[in-house]
Amino acid sequence: MKTSISKTILLIVAICTGLFSFSQDFQGKAHYMSKTTMDLDQWGGREMTPERKKEVEARMKKFLEKEYILTFNKTESIYEEDEKLEAPGSGGGFGRFGSSFTGGPKYKNVKTKEMLQDQEFFGKQFLIKDELKGLEWKMGTETKQIGQYTCFKATATKTVDKFDWRSMRRRGPGQGSKNDDKEKAKGKVAKDSTKTSDDPMQDIEVPKTIEVVAWYTPQIPINQGPDDFWGLPGLILEVSADRTTILCTKIVMNPEEKDNIEKPEKGEEVTQAEYNEIITKKMQEMREMYGGRRGRGGGRRN
């Protein structure tokens, strides 16, 4: 009990100290490392040779492990990838495909509740403009040190976007595609257990919600954070969300040369819901093209 009271007092003192030590026009940069784990065996890794599996894992690592920079002031922030120059062709097809589901620079304004994100999808530029949605954080008293900052723990339940690749999974046994379920209802049994659906997305599922653990520091008294995360009484330095961990590796306060936090402006303006509908239609078109080729191929064999 005494420990809990002591940590609560520490949190209050840290918040007050932070509030008085920052001017209204301050700016900072937080560097983050983002890492997403993925079980390659779920996606056909068991059938690969050790050499091929190692090659695929190396290519995926460039896509699953990225560095970002969050530039922030009292009310605004922009979160963008710290891109490294790579040799031509080193990204691979997986990286090019995945980039269609990975957002560009993300702007958040916690005062006006505005969110803007630059997004490219299969060669077309979009500007996602929507209301900045927050999480219902449960504040804890548990602390840990990240660098020179004392951080406090907070947890929340987050609704997952159905096209968030970081939480995509292959359906397990007994959780087949809709077509499989229909076939079972008719009493039909597949002759070939390795047969896949014409629609690859039917074999993929995304959880509706995930649990989020965040660590924030009141020593930097802004309610900003990496990616979608914000709304705590201090900068979020670490986030664990499903299979993704985002960790702050460096903070620069009040750099000599300040950057303008500019809103993304390029692309066709859409809401998140409208953008998801565009993706859905594109995936349907791809499914129909893929299914049509299979059908024509089957006709030639007969």
Side-chain angles (χ1 to χ4, degrees), residues 37-72:
T37 60
M38 185 174 291
D39 184 1
L40 188 57
D41 286 347
Q42 272 197 340
W43 306 91
R46 289 189 180 93
E47 285 73 38
M48 296 179 185
T49 63
E51 293 76 15
R52 175 59 178 164
K53 189 174 182 179
K54 187 175 181 180
E55 179 185 342
V56 172
E57 287 175 340
R59 287 181 176 271
M60 289 177 64
K61 183 177 180 180
K62 296 176 183 179
F63 180 66
L64 298 174
E65 299 182 14
K66 292 182 177 291
E67 295 179 15
Y68 292 88
I69 297 176
L70 179 75
T71 304
F72 58 86

Side-chain angles (χ1 to χ4, degrees), residues 36 38 43 63-64 66 68 81 93-106 117-124 126 128 160-168 199-201 204 206 227-228 244 272 275-284 286-287:
T36 301
M38 185 174 291
W43 306 91
F63 180 66
L64 298 174
K66 292 182 177 291
Y68 292 88
E81 184 178 349
F94 181 79
R96 290 192 297 271
F97 177 79
S99 65
S100 294
F101 295 93
T102 304
K106 178 176 290 186
Q117 182 157 23
D118 184 350
Q119 176 71 63
E120 182 182 341
F121 183 67
F122 281 89
K124 185 172 181 179
F126 293 92
I128 300 175
V160 184
D161 186 278
K162 67 178 182 178
F163 290 110
D164 190 338
W165 62 268
R166 294 169 297 187
S167 292
M168 287 182 179
D199 179 8
M201 293 301 291
I204 296 173
V206 177
D227 201 17
D228 295 329
T244 298
Q272 185 66 58
Y275 180 70
N276 284 355
E277 182 63 25
I278 291 168
I279 296 179
T280 301
K281 288 181 179 178
K282 183 65 176 178
M283 298 302 291
Q284 288 173 345
M286 293 173 65
R287 178 191 61 193

Side-chain angles (χ1 to χ4, degrees), residues 133-158:
K133 298 177 178 64
L135 297 175
E136 294 185 8
W137 293 106
K138 295 179 181 178
M139 314 282 282
T141 56
E142 186 177 346
T143 64
K144 76 172 180 178
Q145 201 76 10
I146 298 179
Q148 66 187 61
Y149 298 96
T150 300
C151 296
F152 289 81
K153 184 179 180 179
T155 58
T157 300
K158 182 178 185 293

Side-chain angles (χ1 to χ4, degrees), residues 27-280:
Q27 187 183 98
K29 282 178 177 280
H31 296 247
Y32 292 88
M33 169 65 76
S34 174
K35 181 176 181 179
T36 301
T37 60
M38 185 174 291
D39 184 1
L40 188 57
D41 286 347
Q42 272 197 340
W43 306 91
R46 289 189 180 93
E47 285 73 38
M48 296 179 185
T49 63
E51 293 76 15
R52 175 59 178 164
K53 189 174 182 179
K54 187 175 181 180
E55 179 185 342
V56 172
E57 287 175 340
R59 287 181 176 271
M60 289 177 64
K61 183 177 180 180
K62 296 176 183 179
F63 180 66
L64 298 174
E65 299 182 14
K66 292 182 177 291
E67 295 179 15
Y68 292 88
I69 297 176
L70 179 75
T71 304
F72 58 86
N73 57 31
K74 277 284 185 181
T75 58
E76 299 174 289
S77 72
I78 190 156
Y79 183 70
E80 53 193 332
E81 184 178 349
D82 185 14
E83 297 185 21
K84 302 291 191 297
L85 187 64
E86 295 183 352
S90 62
F94 181 79
R96 290 192 297 271
F97 177 79
S99 65
S100 294
F101 295 93
T102 304
K106 178 176 290 186
Y107 169 88
K108 301 194 295 283
N109 189 314
V110 298
K111 184 177 181 180
T112 62
K113 299 297 185 291
E114 183 180 17
M115 189 283 293
L116 293 165
Q117 182 157 23
D118 184 350
Q119 176 71 63
E120 182 182 341
F121 183 67
F122 281 89
K124 185 172 181 179
Q125 199 73 27
F126 293 92
L127 179 64
I128 300 175
K129 183 176 182 180
D130 221 325
E131 180 184 1
L132 183 61
K133 298 177 178 64
L135 297 175
E136 294 185 8
W137 293 106
K138 295 179 181 178
M139 314 282 282
T141 56
E142 186 177 346
T143 64
K144 76 172 180 178
Q145 201 76 10
I146 298 179
Q148 66 187 61
Y149 298 96
T150 300
C151 296
F152 289 81
K153 184 179 180 179
T155 58
T157 300
K158 182 178 185 293
T159 301
V160 184
D161 186 278
K162 67 178 182 178
F163 290 110
D164 190 338
W165 62 268
R166 294 169 297 187
S167 292
M168 287 182 179
R169 295 155 166 77
R170 286 293 297 272
R171 294 184 185 274
Q175 297 178 315
S177 66
K178 294 178 182 178
N179 287 342
D180 292 339
D181 294 337
K182 290 179 181 177
E183 293 297 303
K184 288 178 183 178
K186 295 176 182 178
K188 296 181 179 180
V189 179
K191 294 180 180 179
D192 183 0
S193 61
T194 62
K195 180 180 177 181
T196 58
S197 166
D198 285 348
D199 179 8
M201 293 301 291
Q202 288 186 357
D203 295 324
I204 296 173
E205 62 181 354
V206 177
K208 292 183 179 179
T209 61
I210 56 174
E211 296 305 308
V212 176
V213 176
W215 295 89
Y216 67 95
T217 177
Q219 291 171 259
I220 304 178
I222 61 166
N223 54 358
Q224 293 280 1
D227 201 17
D228 295 329
F229 304 102
W230 67 285
L232 288 166
L235 179 65
I236 299 173
L237 299 191
E238 182 178 337
V239 174
S240 296
D242 197 22
R243 299 176 314 197
T244 298
T245 299
I246 307 173
L247 176 64
C248 183
T249 57
K250 183 175 73 170
I251 297 176
V252 179
M253 297 302 302
N254 292 314
E256 293 183 6
E257 295 184 10
K258 292 186 178 181
D259 292 337
N260 292 325
I261 300 178
E262 299 179 350
K263 298 180 181 181
E265 296 179 343
K266 297 180 181 179
E268 178 183 340
E269 189 174 305
V270 292
T271 64
Q272 185 66 58
E274 290 170 339
Y275 180 70
N276 284 355
E277 182 63 25
I278 291 168
I279 296 179
T280 301

